[in-house]
Amino acid sequence: MDITQQRTKEIKEFLKARGNIDLIGIADPALVEGHGRFHAPEEVLPGVKSIIVFGRRLSDGAVQSAMRRFEDGNQLALGAYAAYASHMTPGYLMLFDTFALMQHIERAYGYISEPVPCATEQGGKPNNEPLPLFCGPAKDGEPIDIDQAAVAAGLGQFGWSGRILTPEYGPRVMFGALLTQLPLECDKPYSGPQLCDPSACHICTDLCPTDAIAPYGSGDVQHRGCAGCQVETGAFSKNRCLVANCAMRAEFDPSGKGADYVSSNDPTDDELAAAFEDKDLSFTSLDHFPKIYCEKCLLYCPVGNWKERFADRGLSQGPQAVLAKEAEA
């Protein structure tokens, strides 16, 4: 084992020893592209040699608590998902893990590292947001494309929803990453079995309440850079997603006290900005505006042994029950 292999082994063992990390891979920076608001790794850290990508699964208990809202109408259960799955607890743990890894590499090996901000603090950018952005479905705040890095590190592949799917946990994983000048042995990009077959499974598009994910076969696609190649996913509308996630229409507010801040499920950028101005600030979350955490495309995706984890253990009635209940309403 040469020194690069030895250091790679030590880095992975360091992360595993923290007890918070379930997936670890090393991505070749050359396979992670700059596009849109994302920068190429070399632009963020000159001389970068490796991207360490690590993921923490969302606990089954926290995930099923969000299901209780859709299947049982239990709104209070949603708080457990917000605190222990969506951002608060796992987000902070991931930030601490990233910081610890950065310190470890610089102290043990003397190489410069740069952490990539992570966690899912918010999915859009309201004009009246008083705190700095972290990231979310739109990845605001991330200097590089962590999803693309996760694929390059061999941890998963893009699903039709645009989320990263892992064989072990489906999309129910939070990823963090660290750029470093330390040379490490890079893992191969994911080349396992196809995890998502959008021609056969339409759960993410069927469940999306605002049609934020274009249906398979519509021709409405987006091309994602993926470890040196291109893959097609369903075109994603951030504005449509925010209408449900932030209850911009009364029908999505579980309190029954909501209002229609926008007139449709497909607002323009200006209409959405005005809606955020009109919406009351909340002091119950770091974002300072209420979120409803739709997340159906994450909760009910069948990839990652979903049936065995949730349906077979009596934790979920499944997506078809949710669709039937919504049709009755």
Side-chain angles (χ1 to χ4, degrees), residues 296-314:
K296 289 180 181 179
C297 57
L298 177 147
L299 298 173
Y300 291 99
C301 175
V303 180
N305 301 315
W306 185 92
K307 180 176 181 295
E308 293 82 353
R309 288 178 182 275
F310 301 104
D312 288 352
R313 297 173 65 187

PDB file of all heavy atoms in Angstrom, residues 296-314:
ATOM      1  N   LYS A 296     -42.349  15.009  -0.728  1.00  0.00           N
ATOM      2  CA  LYS A 296     -42.924  13.710  -1.090  1.00  0.00           C
ATOM      3  C   LYS A 296     -42.009  12.913  -2.016  1.00  0.00           C
ATOM      4  O   LYS A 296     -41.964  11.678  -1.951  1.00  0.00           O
ATOM      5  CB  LYS A 296     -44.289  13.912  -1.754  1.00  0.00           C
ATOM      6  CG  LYS A 296     -45.373  14.378  -0.804  1.00  0.00           C
ATOM      7  CD  LYS A 296     -46.696  14.545  -1.540  1.00  0.00           C
ATOM      8  CE  LYS A 296     -47.789  15.024  -0.610  1.00  0.00           C
ATOM      9  NZ  LYS A 296     -49.077  15.223  -1.321  1.00  0.00           N
ATOM     10  N   CYS A 297     -41.268  13.611  -2.888  1.00  0.00           N
ATOM     11  CA  CYS A 297     -40.374  12.904  -3.818  1.00  0.00           C
ATOM     12  C   CYS A 297     -39.222  12.245  -3.077  1.00  0.00           C
ATOM     13  O   CYS A 297     -38.611  11.295  -3.589  1.00  0.00           O
ATOM     14  CB  CYS A 297     -39.861  13.845  -4.903  1.00  0.00           C
ATOM     15  SG  CYS A 297     -38.999  15.316  -4.288  1.00  0.00           S
ATOM     16  N   LEU A 298     -38.908  12.717  -1.873  1.00  0.00           N
ATOM     17  CA  LEU A 298     -37.891  12.089  -1.035  1.00  0.00           C
ATOM     18  C   LEU A 298     -38.510  11.017  -0.138  1.00  0.00           C
ATOM     19  O   LEU A 298     -37.974   9.918  -0.001  1.00  0.00           O
ATOM     20  CB  LEU A 298     -37.197  13.151  -0.190  1.00  0.00           C
ATOM     21  CG  LEU A 298     -36.142  12.693   0.824  1.00  0.00           C
ATOM     22  CD1 LEU A 298     -35.047  13.747   0.962  1.00  0.00           C
ATOM     23  CD2 LEU A 298     -36.741  12.421   2.198  1.00  0.00           C
ATOM     24  N   LEU A 299     -39.645  11.325   0.450  1.00  0.00           N
ATOM     25  CA  LEU A 299     -40.244  10.421   1.431  1.00  0.00           C
ATOM     26  C   LEU A 299     -40.669   9.094   0.814  1.00  0.00           C
ATOM     27  O   LEU A 299     -40.491   8.030   1.425  1.00  0.00           O
ATOM     28  CB  LEU A 299     -41.470  11.080   2.072  1.00  0.00           C
ATOM     29  CG  LEU A 299     -41.240  12.372   2.862  1.00  0.00           C
ATOM     30  CD1 LEU A 299     -42.575  12.972   3.271  1.00  0.00           C
ATOM     31  CD2 LEU A 299     -40.379  12.107   4.077  1.00  0.00           C
ATOM     32  N   TYR A 300     -41.236   9.143  -0.394  1.00  0.00           N
ATOM     33  CA  TYR A 300     -41.878   7.955  -0.952  1.00  0.00           C
ATOM     34  C   TYR A 300     -41.116   7.310  -2.113  1.00  0.00           C
ATOM     35  O   TYR A 300     -41.607   6.343  -2.687  1.00  0.00           O
ATOM     36  CB  TYR A 300     -43.302   8.296  -1.390  1.00  0.00           C
ATOM     37  CG  TYR A 300     -44.215   8.575  -0.228  1.00  0.00           C
ATOM     38  CD1 TYR A 300     -44.513   9.874   0.164  1.00  0.00           C
ATOM     39  CD2 TYR A 300     -44.757   7.529   0.515  1.00  0.00           C
ATOM     40  CE1 TYR A 300     -45.342  10.127   1.253  1.00  0.00           C
ATOM     41  CE2 TYR A 300     -45.587   7.775   1.603  1.00  0.00           C
ATOM     42  CZ  TYR A 300     -45.873   9.082   1.964  1.00  0.00           C
ATOM     43  OH  TYR A 300     -46.686   9.322   3.047  1.00  0.00           O
ATOM     44  N   CYS A 301     -39.943   7.799  -2.437  1.00  0.00           N
ATOM     45  CA  CYS A 301     -39.156   7.168  -3.493  1.00  0.00           C
ATOM     46  C   CYS A 301     -38.870   5.718  -3.092  1.00  0.00           C
ATOM     47  O   CYS A 301     -38.380   5.451  -1.986  1.00  0.00           O
ATOM     48  CB  CYS A 301     -37.846   7.926  -3.701  1.00  0.00           C
ATOM     49  SG  CYS A 301     -36.736   7.124  -4.894  1.00  0.00           S
ATOM     50  N   PRO A 302     -39.152   4.737  -3.961  1.00  0.00           N
ATOM     51  CA  PRO A 302     -39.000   3.325  -3.577  1.00  0.00           C
ATOM     52  C   PRO A 302     -37.557   2.841  -3.513  1.00  0.00           C
ATOM     53  O   PRO A 302     -37.296   1.753  -2.982  1.00  0.00           O
ATOM     54  CB  PRO A 302     -39.764   2.580  -4.677  1.00  0.00           C
ATOM     55  CG  PRO A 302     -39.687   3.485  -5.866  1.00  0.00           C
ATOM     56  CD  PRO A 302     -39.740   4.881  -5.313  1.00  0.00           C
ATOM     57  N   VAL A 303     -36.612   3.620  -4.036  1.00  0.00           N
ATOM     58  CA  VAL A 303     -35.212   3.194  -4.046  1.00  0.00           C
ATOM     59  C   VAL A 303     -34.654   3.203  -2.622  1.00  0.00           C
ATOM     60  O   VAL A 303     -35.014   4.053  -1.808  1.00  0.00           O
ATOM     61  CB  VAL A 303     -34.374   4.115  -4.961  1.00  0.00           C
ATOM     62  CG1 VAL A 303     -32.913   3.676  -4.982  1.00  0.00           C
ATOM     63  CG2 VAL A 303     -34.940   4.116  -6.372  1.00  0.00           C
ATOM     64  N   GLY A 304     -33.758   2.274  -2.326  1.00  0.00           N
ATOM     65  CA  GLY A 304     -33.150   2.205  -0.994  1.00  0.00           C
ATOM     66  C   GLY A 304     -33.960   1.361  -0.030  1.00  0.00           C
ATOM     67  O   GLY A 304     -34.084   1.700   1.155  1.00  0.00           O
ATOM     68  N   ASN A 305     -34.538   0.237  -0.549  1.00  0.00           N
ATOM     69  CA  ASN A 305     -35.280  -0.691   0.302  1.00  0.00           C
ATOM     70  C   ASN A 305     -36.431  -0.017   1.029  1.00  0.00           C
ATOM     71  O   ASN A 305     -36.705  -0.298   2.202  1.00  0.00           O
ATOM     72  CB  ASN A 305     -34.344  -1.358   1.321  1.00  0.00           C
ATOM     73  CG  ASN A 305     -33.212  -2.125   0.660  1.00  0.00           C
ATOM     74  OD1 ASN A 305     -33.427  -2.859  -0.293  1.00  0.00           O
ATOM     75  ND2 ASN A 305     -31.999  -1.918   1.145  1.00  0.00           N
ATOM     76  N   TRP A 306     -37.131   0.876   0.320  1.00  0.00           N
ATOM     77  CA  TRP A 306     -38.226   1.628   0.935  1.00  0.00           C
ATOM     78  C   TRP A 306     -39.298   0.695   1.494  1.00  0.00           C
ATOM     79  O   TRP A 306     -39.762   0.863   2.624  1.00  0.00           O
ATOM     80  CB  TRP A 306     -38.841   2.586  -0.079  1.00  0.00           C
ATOM     81  CG  TRP A 306     -39.896   3.483   0.502  1.00  0.00           C
ATOM     82  CD1 TRP A 306     -39.711   4.726   1.027  1.00  0.00           C
ATOM     83  CD2 TRP A 306     -41.291   3.200   0.646  1.00  0.00           C
ATOM     84  NE1 TRP A 306     -40.908   5.238   1.483  1.00  0.00           N
ATOM     85  CE2 TRP A 306     -41.889   4.318   1.264  1.00  0.00           C
ATOM     86  CE3 TRP A 306     -42.096   2.109   0.315  1.00  0.00           C
ATOM     87  CZ2 TRP A 306     -43.248   4.373   1.540  1.00  0.00           C
ATOM     88  CZ3 TRP A 306     -43.446   2.160   0.607  1.00  0.00           C
ATOM     89  CH2 TRP A 306     -44.012   3.288   1.218  1.00  0.00           C
ATOM     90  N   LYS A 307     -39.703  -0.286   0.707  1.00  0.00           N
ATOM     91  CA  LYS A 307     -40.782  -1.188   1.135  1.00  0.00           C
ATOM     92  C   LYS A 307     -40.402  -1.900   2.433  1.00  0.00           C
ATOM     93  O   LYS A 307     -41.202  -1.971   3.376  1.00  0.00           O
ATOM     94  CB  LYS A 307     -41.069  -2.210   0.036  1.00  0.00           C
ATOM     95  CG  LYS A 307     -42.169  -3.213   0.373  1.00  0.00           C
ATOM     96  CD  LYS A 307     -42.438  -4.123  -0.824  1.00  0.00           C
ATOM     97  CE  LYS A 307     -43.553  -5.124  -0.502  1.00  0.00           C
ATOM     98  NZ  LYS A 307     -43.158  -6.074   0.560  1.00  0.00           N
ATOM     99  N   GLU A 308     -39.172  -2.411   2.488  1.00  0.00           N
ATOM    100  CA  GLU A 308     -38.740  -3.128   3.682  1.00  0.00           C
ATOM    101  C   GLU A 308     -38.612  -2.189   4.887  1.00  0.00           C
ATOM    102  O   GLU A 308     -38.915  -2.580   6.020  1.00  0.00           O
ATOM    103  CB  GLU A 308     -37.394  -3.821   3.428  1.00  0.00           C
ATOM    104  CG  GLU A 308     -37.445  -4.949   2.418  1.00  0.00           C
ATOM    105  CD  GLU A 308     -37.377  -4.467   0.978  1.00  0.00           C
ATOM    106  OE1 GLU A 308     -37.430  -3.230   0.761  1.00  0.00           O
ATOM    107  OE2 GLU A 308     -37.272  -5.305   0.071  1.00  0.00           O
ATOM    108  N   ARG A 309     -38.192  -0.967   4.660  1.00  0.00           N
ATOM    109  CA  ARG A 309     -37.975  -0.026   5.757  1.00  0.00           C
ATOM    110  C   ARG A 309     -39.280   0.537   6.314  1.00  0.00           C
ATOM    111  O   ARG A 309     -39.383   0.795   7.526  1.00  0.00           O
ATOM    112  CB  ARG A 309     -37.110   1.151   5.282  1.00  0.00           C
ATOM    113  CG  ARG A 309     -35.657   0.817   5.045  1.00  0.00           C
ATOM    114  CD  ARG A 309     -34.929   2.064   4.529  1.00  0.00           C
ATOM    115  NE  ARG A 309     -33.535   1.765   4.250  1.00  0.00           N
ATOM    116  CZ  ARG A 309     -32.571   1.785   5.165  1.00  0.00           C
ATOM    117  NH1 ARG A 309     -32.856   2.088   6.403  1.00  0.00           N
ATOM    118  NH2 ARG A 309     -31.341   1.487   4.836  1.00  0.00           N
ATOM    119  N   PHE A 310     -40.237   0.772   5.442  1.00  0.00           N
ATOM    120  CA  PHE A 310     -41.427   1.511   5.869  1.00  0.00           C
ATOM    121  C   PHE A 310     -42.728   0.711   5.746  1.00  0.00           C
ATOM    122  O   PHE A 310     -43.442   0.541   6.727  1.00  0.00           O
ATOM    123  CB  PHE A 310     -41.528   2.823   5.085  1.00  0.00           C
ATOM    124  CG  PHE A 310     -40.343   3.716   5.267  1.00  0.00           C
ATOM    125  CD1 PHE A 310     -39.378   3.850   4.284  1.00  0.00           C
ATOM    126  CD2 PHE A 310     -40.163   4.406   6.453  1.00  0.00           C
ATOM    127  CE1 PHE A 310     -38.268   4.663   4.466  1.00  0.00           C
ATOM    128  CE2 PHE A 310     -39.062   5.223   6.654  1.00  0.00           C
ATOM    129  CZ  PHE A 310     -38.110   5.347   5.652  1.00  0.00           C
ATOM    130  N   ALA A 311     -43.035   0.215   4.560  1.00  0.00           N
ATOM    131  CA  ALA A 311     -44.309  -0.481   4.385  1.00  0.00           C
ATOM    132  C   ALA A 311     -44.358  -1.784   5.167  1.00  0.00           C
ATOM    133  O   ALA A 311     -45.347  -2.067   5.861  1.00  0.00           O
ATOM    134  CB  ALA A 311     -44.556  -0.747   2.895  1.00  0.00           C
ATOM    135  N   ASP A 312     -43.296  -2.596   5.071  1.00  0.00           N
ATOM    136  CA  ASP A 312     -43.314  -3.903   5.730  1.00  0.00           C
ATOM    137  C   ASP A 312     -43.272  -3.794   7.252  1.00  0.00           C
ATOM    138  O   ASP A 312     -43.611  -4.750   7.951  1.00  0.00           O
ATOM    139  CB  ASP A 312     -42.126  -4.754   5.261  1.00  0.00           C
ATOM    140  CG  ASP A 312     -42.288  -5.234   3.824  1.00  0.00           C
ATOM    141  OD1 ASP A 312     -43.381  -5.026   3.261  1.00  0.00           O
ATOM    142  OD2 ASP A 312     -41.338  -5.805   3.264  1.00  0.00           O
ATOM    143  N   ARG A 313     -42.863  -2.653   7.765  1.00  0.00           N
ATOM    144  CA  ARG A 313     -42.798  -2.451   9.216  1.00  0.00           C
ATOM    145  C   ARG A 313     -44.008  -1.666   9.732  1.00  0.00           C
ATOM    146  O   ARG A 313     -44.049  -1.274  10.896  1.00  0.00           O
ATOM    147  CB  ARG A 313     -41.501  -1.726   9.582  1.00  0.00           C
ATOM    148  CG  ARG A 313     -40.254  -2.539   9.229  1.00  0.00           C
ATOM    149  CD  ARG A 313     -38.991  -1.744   9.435  1.00  0.00           C
ATOM    150  NE  ARG A 313     -38.783  -1.418  10.834  1.00  0.00           N
ATOM    151  CZ  ARG A 313     -37.815  -0.615  11.274  1.00  0.00           C
ATOM    152  NH1 ARG A 313     -36.979  -0.061  10.399  1.00  0.00           N
ATOM    153  NH2 ARG A 313     -37.661  -0.373  12.552  1.00  0.00           N
ATOM    154  N   GLY A 314     -44.971  -1.439   8.842  1.00  0.00           N
ATOM    155  CA  GLY A 314     -46.187  -0.762   9.257  1.00  0.00           C
ATOM    156  C   GLY A 314     -46.027   0.729   9.482  1.00  0.00           C
ATOM    157  O   GLY A 314     -46.871   1.351  10.125  1.00  0.00           O
TER     158      GLY A 314
END
